[in-house]
Amino acid sequence: MKALFENSLFVRLLMCLRAWYHEGAIAGFFNRIRQAYPSSVFCRLWNKFCAAPICTSANSIYARILAALRRFVEKLGGIAANSLIYRICLAVWRPIERVAGGGLIGRACRFVGMRGLLLICLAMYLPLDSAVRWVSDAGYLPSFVASVWDECLMLAAFAYILWHMAMKRAPLGSRATPVDAYLLLFIAVGFFLMCAVSPNTHIAVAGYRAVAEYLFWFFLVTRLIENDRDFAVFYGALVVMALCIAAHGIYQYIVAAPIPSSWVSQTEASVRTRVYSLTGSPNIMGSLLVLFAPMVAGLAYYSSKMWVKVLAVCATGMMCLSCIFTFSKGAWGGLAVAVVIFAIFLDRRLIALMGVAGVGALLAIPSIANRITYLFTADYLAASRRAGRVIRWSKGLKLLQESNPVLGFGLGRFGGAVAMQNKVIEETKDFSYFYMDNYYLKTLVEMGYLGLAFFILLLFGLVLWSLRSIGRTGYTKGDRTRVLAVSMFAGMCGVLVHCYFENIFEVPYMMAYFWSMAAAVMYLGYFRKRKT
């Protein structure tokens, strides 16, 4: 079977293309640049930039608070371990574990462990959320379960980390990162704004929850991923979930899934459908694929096995095709940015490949060209000024200036899902509720210049330390960890670009995926034990 595969026309064609790819003039040009890089000024500056330690001092206030909390939890764990209740629970659990752990599912659960199960549940956030909501709507579960199951998952992860720490099974080293400070600072500013500008207390609390709650996944995942097995389980589960969503999107395009007429304008009649899968929105699905497509592409560079490379390339093409079928212009822009960042770190020749693929897509699917060229027409500008982003953004800025530009209009009061669900202000000719379709502008209107400044500071700190984490990972024949870190970072940057055109972070699973991937990048650079 292996001989038939290696001697097939398709594989021989791929090997010829591979030889041309590595021996052509373009490859020679980049090889000469790569040879001159180690002695360049930029290389020295980059190495100095990446040499920054994860924490400036073990005696900092934050580090001392975390160490004191750890000692307190370990003391409580020592007391609990000697208690009668703990021994009874252990005696009851051991026979259950022996019975349940005998089958295939039991062995798989033992292999991934409790941390792996929690990480898999997090990776399957979208399908789990859809399943819980479907079961709840069918009447098999109380309606409130669909709203609280993700908080229960977060509490389960938090409880496991505390138990793991109390039993002294967690890694001895601290998992504090500089990104923690940026996150806590933004969370504190949001709490201040919730208290300072809250004419409707319950709406302010709901708006603050939507902004701050899912940021805590960063703190949880930095402590859930303890070793390479945990990371591999999480990475693999994310890839499997994303591939299933992409395959479903292609199926929707083939069968021409029905869509609301508002998803396309009158001048875009050639767009037969826009795929949305479980997300219910083509824009959110496009952003989801932008986040995960580089992770699938990274497997082609990470693995040394040819069959894995071929499968990864085909899977990446499927994800990009599904992203195209969302017909989300913001997602296309985010995907282009993700490809450029991926190419800059790993293979700059991909930029030319992206250009060729883009031209091919324009020629093969005329509706893509029509949708792009429509952006530069007077009809689009008129439609945008009438009911599109131009009029929405201008109304949002006008509302900000009329309220309090520094502190904002109030969390949960305008531009997002919480405001759309709680329309407490009567709509008039001059005031109406709508989605801002720009998460940064939505943050500005609700939280003012103060909130936006600290949100931009948070993103700046995340990008800064992610780059340092990438710089500390290896990229040798035996250790290609940098490929995985770059893949996740590229997808995150693509989502940040898409946030300028959509309220991407209004969706809970997008926030959870984004910040958990940020935690995984930090693990690869600073907490991973390097093999000798």
Side-chain angles (χ1 to χ4, degrees), residues 125 128-154 209 213-214:
Y125 193 129
L128 281 177
D129 185 66
S130 300
V132 170
R133 292 185 184 279
W134 180 83
V135 173
S136 180
D137 293 339
Y140 298 109
L141 286 175
S143 57
F144 71 89
V145 175
S147 302
V148 301
W149 79 269
D150 50 349
E151 282 87 355
C152 292
L153 177 62
M154 186 179 290
R209 170 183 169 274
E213 177 182 343
Y214 300 96

Side-chain angles (χ1 to χ4, degrees), residues 36 49 54 133 146 162 178 219 224 260 262 264 280 297 347 366 402 468 500 507 520 528:
F49 170 78
I54 190 68
R133 292 185 184 279
L162 286 181
F219 299 99
L224 284 176
S262 59
V264 292
D347 193 345
E402 292 174 352
R468 282 175 167 161
Y500 186 78
V507 183
R528 178 176 179 263

Side-chain angles (χ1 to χ4, degrees), residues 4 40 74 79 114 167 209 239 267 270 282 294 304 324 329 358 372 399 418 459-460 471 475 479 484 513 528:
L4 290 175
S40 63
E74 289 178 350
I79 296 173
M114 182 57 70
M167 297 295 107
R209 170 183 169 274
V239 168
T267 58
S270 59
S304 59
I324 289 174
K329 297 182 287 291
I372 292 177
L399 181 64
V418 177
L459 298 181
F460 172 78
Y475 189 57
D479 184 10
L484 305 180
Y513 285 147
R528 178 176 179 263

